[in-house]
Amino acid sequence: MRQVEIGVGEEFDEGLRLRPDGRPEHPVRRLILDDWHDAGPGRIAYAATRVADSLPLVIGVATRPPPDELRPLLEALTLTLTGPRVDAGAQHLVPVEDPRKGFAELAGIVERRPQASLTLGQLLRRTPSLGTLQGLAAEASAYSMLLGGTESTAWRADRRTPRSAAKNGPLVRVRRNGGTLSIELDRPQRRNVFSFRMREELFEALELAALDDTLDRVQLTGAGPVFCSGGDLAEFGTAWDLVAAYLVRLDRAPWRLIDRMRDRVTVRVQGAAVGAGVEMAAFAGRLVAAPEVFFQLPEVEMGLVPGAGGTVSVPRRIGRWRAAWMTLTGARVDAAIALEWGLVDEIDDHER
């Protein structure tokens, strides 16, 4: 595979050029925004339309501040990597130390996992404009499809994941104090890994809260040093019916209930919020982070897209462009950057 660069005067090739085995030759393209500063408005508008309709991912690279006239193009791109000289205040921009090197690293990821990367790119163009249920349905269908794909299958085959040891007692603890319901993920010895059983217990706790209008506040926390380390890897790929798994993912989604009650829900995270941990937390009306926490979306490396509502919740907070960067790279985002981007609402170093 090779990367294709989109120049100012060039025509656009929107296709993937699929090989006989279904793998695309050109899954990602680069657009150097510095070269577009003097482009006319007609050319910019045309380019933005073609980029928005592109099947490959189109990554912008900017070493100088893009002029306001390029905003339609910035909005159409998958994301834009910027250097230290650029004020990266807008959600379209992702600041990195070296944007050209950053592109090369991104391109390597996309070429290694083109199925998941391209599915993510199309998904993130849809979910921000959809309602919560419709966005979750789009995500769940993409996730279920990728579970049966070659990338996810190969990732599982390369790993030797031990089976999860059963834990006696509840995985989610609930207590009420007046008008406040406190819900705690309680599997600290496994870093609150998000298993099927934990999902069911969390759903039941949140369902009770949603039906009780005497509750003013719902607080969600995690026991131990880590809020949630993501989905239980021992359970990945165990569903024998992917259509049934899709329906369960919709019907028994705790994050849908968090979104429904978002004005009443506060989530406090510490240590790490990985995968499902950050995805469901981002639905809350208020997300509070400890100073040491990091956030991570590692699903693309597994041949998947986020499956706990992350393509809905995270873009709502930080924009689809930074959400694409987080998910494609699987990079850790610390609390300070999360606060700057709006992924969290507050950093609090007090003990819970």
Side-chain angles (χ1 to χ4, degrees):
M1 299 180 189
R2 64 182 181 89
Q3 295 86 51
V4 177
E5 190 161 307
I6 298 175
V8 178
E10 297 177 357
E11 283 302 309
F12 284 71
D13 178 1
E14 300 164 355
L16 295 173
R17 299 190 184 181
L18 295 175
R19 295 176 173 178
D21 63 359
R23 291 179 65 83
E25 286 189 22
H26 302 150
V28 61
R29 295 173 184 179
R30 181 174 67 172
L31 189 147
I32 305 295
L33 282 155
D34 297 0
D35 298 339
W36 287 73
H37 285 208
D38 296 325
R43 182 60 186 172
I44 292 171
Y46 172 79
T49 299
R50 297 300 295 270
V51 166
D53 288 339
S54 175
L55 287 173
L57 304 183
V58 185
I59 310 297
V61 172
T63 63
R64 294 184 290 147
D68 291 342
E69 289 77 9
L70 288 182
R71 187 175 181 85
L73 192 51
L74 289 169
E75 291 181 347
L77 291 165
T78 304
L79 61 98
T80 295
L81 301 171
T82 65
R85 296 173 53 195
V86 178
D87 178 8
Q91 289 184 337
H92 320 91
L93 308 177
V94 179
V96 294
E97 189 171 324
D98 183 338
R100 292 178 186 267
K101 181 180 178 182
F103 171 79
E105 293 172 351
L106 252 180
I109 294 168
V110 175
E111 291 176 351
R112 189 168 63 251
R113 295 285 188 264
Q115 293 178 346
S117 298
L118 293 169
T119 300
L120 175 74
Q122 293 301 323
L123 190 60
L124 286 175
R125 289 189 180 278
R126 295 179 58 197
T127 50
S129 62
L130 299 175
T132 298
L133 180 58
Q134 292 73 30
L136 293 177
E139 178 185 281
S141 61
Y143 185 93
S144 295
M145 173 188 71
L146 289 170
L147 271 178
T150 57
E151 292 174 3
S152 178
T153 301
W155 180 83
R156 294 195 302 271
D158 288 343
R159 293 184 62 88
R160 293 186 178 180
T161 306
R163 300 301 301 174
S164 292
K167 174 186 181 291
N168 294 325
L171 301 180
V172 174
R173 297 192 180 275
V174 182
R175 65 182 183 276
R176 177 169 184 162
N177 183 9
T180 299
L181 187 72
S182 297
I183 303 174
E184 183 181 59
L185 309 181
D186 189 28
R187 203 179 184 186
Q189 72 280 10
R190 288 291 312 281
R191 300 166 69 87
N192 292 322
V193 65
F194 202 73
S195 63
F196 297 154
R197 185 155 73 92
M198 180 179 282
R199 181 195 66 197
E200 286 300 305
E201 292 183 22
L202 180 59
F203 183 88
E204 291 172 3
L206 290 166
E207 189 174 41
L208 289 174
L211 295 172
D212 190 344
D213 57 10
T214 67
L215 288 171
D216 301 319
R217 294 194 303 164
V218 177
Q219 295 188 2
L220 176 61
T221 60
V226 169
F227 171 69
C228 179
S229 58
D232 190 339
L233 299 185
E235 297 180 345
F236 277 46
T238 57
W240 62 272
D241 185 335
L242 296 182
V243 177
Y246 160 79
L247 294 175
V248 169
R249 191 167 292 278
L250 278 182
D251 186 55
R252 306 295 292 180
W255 30 94
R256 184 161 56 92
L257 298 177
I258 293 174
D259 178 72
R260 185 182 302 172
M261 300 184 291
R262 59 180 297 106
D263 292 341
R264 292 190 283 160
V265 177
T266 296
V267 178
R268 292 182 173 271
V269 300
Q270 77 285 353
V274 178
V278 59
E279 295 171 49
M280 63 179 173
F283 277 112
R286 187 156 190 80
L287 177 51
V288 182
E292 82 288 349
V293 78
F294 71 83
F295 301 89
Q296 187 177 21
L297 293 168
E299 287 91 347
V300 164
E301 184 57 34
M302 304 175 188
L304 298 168
V305 294
T311 64
V312 179
S313 62
V314 175
R316 286 179 180 177
R317 283 183 167 267
I318 67 174
R320 70 167 176 86
W321 306 271
R322 288 173 174 171
W325 178 82
M326 278 188 70
T327 312
L328 287 170
T329 64
R332 293 184 176 188
V333 173
D334 64 28
I337 294 298
L339 181 64
E340 179 184 336
W341 286 4
L343 184 58
V344 305
D345 302 296
E346 179 185 352
I347 296 177
D348 184 2
D349 59 0
H350 292 92
E351 293 289 332
R352 288 183 283 116

Short mmCIF file of all heavy atoms in Angstrom, two decimals, residues 115 141-154 156 237 239 242 303-304:
data_model
loop_
_atom_site.label_atom_id
_atom_site.label_comp_id
_atom_site.label_asym_id
_atom_site.label_seq_id
_atom_site.Cartn_x
_atom_site.Cartn_y
_atom_site.Cartn_z
N GLN A 115 -9.60 -2.29 7.52
CA GLN A 115 -11.04 -2.54 7.70
C GLN A 115 -11.60 -1.72 8.85
O GLN A 115 -12.61 -1.02 8.71
CB GLN A 115 -11.28 -4.03 7.95
CG GLN A 115 -10.99 -4.94 6.78
CD GLN A 115 -11.21 -6.40 7.13
OE1 GLN A 115 -11.33 -6.78 8.30
NE2 GLN A 115 -11.28 -7.25 6.12
N SER A 141 -23.91 -1.96 14.79
CA SER A 141 -23.89 -2.74 13.54
C SER A 141 -22.46 -2.82 12.99
O SER A 141 -22.03 -3.88 12.52
CB SER A 141 -24.84 -2.13 12.51
OG SER A 141 -24.47 -0.80 12.20
N ALA A 142 -21.73 -1.71 13.06
CA ALA A 142 -20.34 -1.72 12.59
C ALA A 142 -19.47 -2.63 13.46
O ALA A 142 -18.65 -3.40 12.95
CB ALA A 142 -19.78 -0.29 12.59
N TYR A 143 -19.67 -2.55 14.76
CA TYR A 143 -18.90 -3.38 15.70
C TYR A 143 -19.17 -4.87 15.45
O TYR A 143 -18.23 -5.66 15.36
CB TYR A 143 -19.28 -3.00 17.13
CG TYR A 143 -18.46 -3.68 18.20
CD1 TYR A 143 -17.31 -3.08 18.70
CD2 TYR A 143 -18.83 -4.91 18.72
CE1 TYR A 143 -16.56 -3.70 19.70
CE2 TYR A 143 -18.09 -5.54 19.70
CZ TYR A 143 -16.96 -4.93 20.19
OH TYR A 143 -16.22 -5.54 21.17
N SER A 144 -20.43 -5.23 15.31
CA SER A 144 -20.78 -6.64 15.10
C SER A 144 -20.22 -7.14 13.78
O SER A 144 -19.76 -8.28 13.68
CB SER A 144 -22.30 -6.81 15.14
OG SER A 144 -22.80 -6.50 16.43
N MET A 145 -20.27 -6.29 12.74
CA MET A 145 -19.71 -6.68 11.45
C MET A 145 -18.22 -6.95 11.57
O MET A 145 -17.71 -7.98 11.09
CB MET A 145 -19.95 -5.56 10.43
CG MET A 145 -19.26 -5.79 9.09
SD MET A 145 -19.38 -4.35 7.99
CE MET A 145 -18.26 -3.20 8.82
N LEU A 146 -17.48 -6.05 12.25
CA LEU A 146 -16.04 -6.19 12.37
C LEU A 146 -15.65 -7.39 13.23
O LEU A 146 -14.57 -7.96 13.04
CB LEU A 146 -15.43 -4.91 12.94
CG LEU A 146 -15.44 -3.72 11.99
CD1 LEU A 146 -15.05 -2.44 12.73
CD2 LEU A 146 -14.51 -3.94 10.80
N LEU A 147 -16.51 -7.78 14.17
CA LEU A 147 -16.21 -8.97 14.98
C LEU A 147 -16.03 -10.21 14.10
O LEU A 147 -15.29 -11.12 14.44
CB LEU A 147 -17.35 -9.23 15.98
CG LEU A 147 -17.25 -8.56 17.34
CD1 LEU A 147 -18.49 -8.88 18.17
CD2 LEU A 147 -15.99 -9.00 18.10
N GLY A 148 -16.73 -10.23 12.97
CA GLY A 148 -16.61 -11.36 12.05
C GLY A 148 -15.57 -11.15 10.98
O GLY A 148 -15.42 -11.99 10.09
N GLY A 149 -14.84 -10.01 11.03
CA GLY A 149 -13.87 -9.69 10.01
C GLY A 149 -12.52 -10.34 10.26
O GLY A 149 -12.22 -10.86 11.34
N THR A 150 -11.66 -10.28 9.25
CA THR A 150 -10.36 -10.94 9.34
C THR A 150 -9.42 -10.24 10.33
O THR A 150 -8.60 -10.91 10.98
CB THR A 150 -9.69 -10.97 7.95
OG1 THR A 150 -9.57 -9.63 7.44
CG2 THR A 150 -10.50 -11.81 6.98
N GLU A 151 -9.53 -8.92 10.48
CA GLU A 151 -8.61 -8.22 11.37
C GLU A 151 -8.87 -8.58 12.82
O GLU A 151 -7.94 -8.86 13.59
CB GLU A 151 -8.73 -6.70 11.16
CG GLU A 151 -8.21 -6.24 9.81
CD GLU A 151 -8.45 -4.78 9.55
OE1 GLU A 151 -8.98 -4.07 10.43
OE2 GLU A 151 -8.12 -4.31 8.44
N SER A 152 -10.12 -8.55 13.23
CA SER A 152 -10.45 -8.90 14.61
C SER A 152 -10.16 -10.37 14.88
O SER A 152 -9.63 -10.73 15.94
CB SER A 152 -11.93 -8.60 14.89
OG SER A 152 -12.28 -8.98 16.21
N THR A 153 -10.48 -11.23 13.91
CA THR A 153 -10.21 -12.66 14.07
C THR A 153 -8.71 -12.91 14.23
O THR A 153 -8.28 -13.70 15.09
CB THR A 153 -10.74 -13.43 12.87
OG1 THR A 153 -12.16 -13.20 12.76
CG2 THR A 153 -10.49 -14.92 13.01
N ALA A 154 -7.89 -12.22 13.43
CA ALA A 154 -6.44 -12.40 13.51
C ALA A 154 -5.90 -11.88 14.84
O ALA A 154 -5.00 -12.48 15.44
CB ALA A 154 -5.77 -11.69 12.34
N ARG A 156 -7.45 -11.78 17.73
CA ARG A 156 -7.78 -12.74 18.79
C ARG A 156 -6.91 -13.98 18.69
O ARG A 156 -6.48 -14.54 19.71
CB ARG A 156 -9.26 -13.12 18.71
CG ARG A 156 -10.21 -11.97 19.02
CD ARG A 156 -11.62 -12.48 19.27
NE ARG A 156 -12.18 -13.23 18.16
CZ ARG A 156 -12.86 -12.68 17.15
NH1 ARG A 156 -13.04 -11.37 17.12
NH2 ARG A 156 -13.35 -13.43 16.19
N GLY A 237 -15.20 -11.93 21.07
CA GLY A 237 -15.36 -12.96 20.05
C GLY A 237 -16.07 -14.21 20.50
O GLY A 237 -16.08 -15.20 19.77
N ALA A 239 -19.36 -14.39 21.18
CA ALA A 239 -20.75 -14.41 20.72
C ALA A 239 -20.85 -15.28 19.45
O ALA A 239 -20.13 -15.05 18.48
CB ALA A 239 -21.23 -12.99 20.43
N LEU A 242 -23.87 -13.02 15.79
CA LEU A 242 -23.51 -11.61 15.77
C LEU A 242 -24.73 -10.70 15.67
O LEU A 242 -24.68 -9.56 16.14
CB LEU A 242 -22.54 -11.33 14.62
CG LEU A 242 -21.19 -12.05 14.72
CD1 LEU A 242 -20.29 -11.66 13.56
CD2 LEU A 242 -20.50 -11.73 16.05
N GLY A 303 -8.86 -4.52 15.59
CA GLY A 303 -9.68 -4.76 14.41
C GLY A 303 -11.13 -4.38 14.60
O GLY A 303 -12.00 -4.85 13.86
N LEU A 304 -11.41 -3.49 15.57
CA LEU A 304 -12.77 -3.11 15.91
C LEU A 304 -12.91 -1.59 15.95
O LEU A 304 -11.94 -0.85 15.75
CB LEU A 304 -13.14 -3.69 17.29
CG LEU A 304 -13.14 -5.21 17.42
CD1 LEU A 304 -13.25 -5.62 18.88
CD2 LEU A 304 -14.29 -5.82 16.60
#
